[in-house]
Amino acid sequence: MAKRVVNVHEAKTHFSRLIDAAHAGETILVAKGGKPWARLVPLEQPPPRRQ
């Protein structure tokens, strides 16, 4: 699992790109003041529905 660290300013500027990357499987760590603050991760896919 790839992990990228971005600061809050970069996260605000490139939020759309970051959520696309998270959706593709990447983990993005958002840092504030150089310290880890939040994490963007892909959602687990729900199990397939039975018909």
Side-chain angles (χ1 to χ4, degrees):
M1 184 183 315
K3 188 180 282 192
R4 184 184 342 175
V5 179
V6 297
N7 64 34
V8 173
H9 176 74
E10 183 180 357
K12 289 189 323 184
T13 303
H14 301 290
F15 186 68
S16 189
R17 291 181 193 166
L18 293 173
I19 61 171
D20 286 343
H23 181 74
E26 190 173 347
T27 297
I28 295 111
L29 187 63
V30 180
K32 185 174 183 179
K35 296 181 181 175
W37 205 256
R39 184 179 303 132
L40 290 173
V41 296
L43 291 175
E44 292 182 21
Q45 295 295 322
R49 294 180 62 144
R50 294 178 70 168
Q51 294 186 6

